Each structure stands twice: as C-alpha cells, then as structure tokens.
Amino acid sequence: MKALIIVDVQNDFMPDGSLAVPDGDAIVPVINRISGKFDLVVATQDWHPPEHKSFASNHKGRQPFETIDLNGISQTLWPDHCVQGTPGADFHPGLDTRPVEAIFRKGINPEIDSYSGFYDNQHLKSTGLAGYLREKDVTEVYGCGLAGDICVYDTLNDALKCGFPTILIADAARALDEKNYETAQKDLLKNNGRIVFSTDIV
Ligand SMILES: [Zn+2]
C-alpha cells in the first residue's frame, strides 16, 4: 500500500506568493502526472490564524527571516502566509486534488509552528496523520511538495520516526534554500529514507 503525501502546494508558496519558493509551480504538473499511481493520496495544508506567532508582522520591530525564541524553541519569522480562508492558503489551482482522500491542516495554534504534516514543531500535538496511514495499512510513504528543505523534509523525517519506509520524490519538490535542501536530503538518507525521481514511479 503506497501513499503519497502532497505537502503544502499552496498559492502563497508559489513564485508570486507571499512566501515564494523558487520554481515552486514547476512541481504541479509532475505531481498531477504521478498522483494517480498511488493507492492513497493525502495532502497537507499550512493553515494559520492571522495572529500566528511565526509571522514577523506579529512581533514588534522584527523582520521576516529573522530568528527568535518562541516558547523555548528557535523560530524563523516568516512573511504572513497561508492565512486561513484566504486565496493564499488555497491549493495551487492547477493541482489535481481529485485523488486526494484527506487533507491534514497544520499551524493552527498561534503559539507554535508546524512544519511537519504529522506533528507541530515541539511534537506536542499530533495531526492524526500517522494513525490514518496505519489504519489504511500504508507500507510506504512517498513525499513531495513545498518547501523541500522545510515542510517536506520535516514531514518525511516524522514519517521515518513513525516507522514508515519513506521516499522523497526529488523532482516533485522545490526548496526555499538549496543548501539547506542538500543537508535535508543527506539527513533523510542517513535515517534510512530513500530518494527517487518521478520517472521511477510506475
Ligand atoms: Zn507556515
């Protein structure tokens, strides 16, 4: 039972979005081409209230991409993005969502960010994704989406920690920072993850 997790393919992460991932829209046709080949497809959606503490705008005198301590952990401050119910939080209009059986929303608690589709950044609260995949008898978790070095990486890392054989589809993800993405890929491989290309999905 092979599952695909489509991570945060949302307008605000596209090249014209508020937290643009370079070339982010290039993955949409790639995902559309392969999603039908999986037994199960789920998606995650970054879904912040306007007062979310990961937004620089909610910290006086702070700028996006600065780092602060937020409730005991290091937090990068972002431009406002993926605000609940706004067009920026919608999936890219070209993404074929028909195969998506369930959507897991994250980043709802204003006090803590949530990069992974499984847990918040302090592993305090589960989204229920691991239990969902287990109940569906998933034996392999494939991941794609945005951003490769942040939310895709954290999602796949948590999939590995939850015990799922885990595979990154390299050309179906794009990174905010290429150097961080290289480190992230090495880390996934070190933790027994695998990396494939979309052409390997049959
Ligand atoms: Zn976010």
Side-chain angles (χ1 to χ4, degrees):
M1 183 79 165
K2 286 196 300 188
L4 175 67
I5 305 177
I6 303 172
V7 177
D8 297 4
V9 179
Q10 293 167 264
N11 288 326
D12 272 343
F13 298 126
M14 295 298 156
D16 58 353
S18 65
L19 181 40
V21 176
D23 210 25
D25 52 348
I27 66 171
V28 173
V30 179
I31 296 170
N32 288 346
R33 201 170 60 236
I34 58 173
S35 57
K37 298 181 176 171
F38 289 85
D39 306 305
L40 175 69
V41 182
V42 301
T44 68
Q45 198 171 21
D46 216 20
W47 194 251
H48 298 307
E51 69 275 20
H52 199 267
K53 296 271 180 68
S54 75
F55 296 169
S57 64
N58 288 322
H59 301 269
K60 216 172 173 227
R62 293 289 186 176
Q63 298 298 318
F65 306 106
E66 286 182 23
T67 303
I68 63 160
D69 179 279
L70 179 61
N71 300 319
I73 57 166
S74 172
Q75 172 72 49
T76 302
L77 295 176
W78 305 110
D80 291 19
H81 64 278
C82 299
V83 174
Q84 297 164 352
T86 65
D90 287 344
F91 292 119
H92 183 289
L95 181 70
D96 183 359
T97 56
R98 289 174 299 179
V100 176
E101 287 195 32
I103 295 166
F104 290 82
R105 288 176 166 164
K106 61 194 182 64
I108 294 166
N109 180 345
E111 295 298 324
I112 188 162
D113 215 352
S114 196
Y115 295 157
S116 160
F118 288 88
Y119 297 95
D120 62 66
N121 289 2
Q122 294 220 50
H123 271 231
L124 297 175
K125 197 177 135 192
S126 159
T127 61
L129 176 53
Y132 180 86
L133 296 176
R134 286 194 191 109
E135 179 151 357
K136 294 279 193 180
D137 294 325
V138 167
T139 52
E140 279 185 315
V141 170
Y142 288 73
C144 63
L146 302 172
D149 50 333
I150 303 175
C151 291
V152 177
Y153 165 66
D154 272 26
T155 297
L156 294 185
N157 215 12
D158 274 348
L160 285 165
K161 283 184 190 157
C162 290
F164 294 104
T166 300
I167 302 105
L168 167 69
I169 307 168
D171 55 327
R174 287 292 185 282
L176 208 51
D177 181 291
E178 282 301 327
K179 245 198 157 56
N180 288 345
Y181 193 34
E182 273 174 40
T183 310
Q185 291 187 58
K186 279 185 196 151
D187 199 48
L188 288 175
L189 291 171
K190 198 179 75 196
N191 293 326
N192 295 320
R194 286 165 42 210
I195 299 176
V196 300
F197 287 91
S198 61
T199 45
D200 299 321
I201 311 291
V202 289

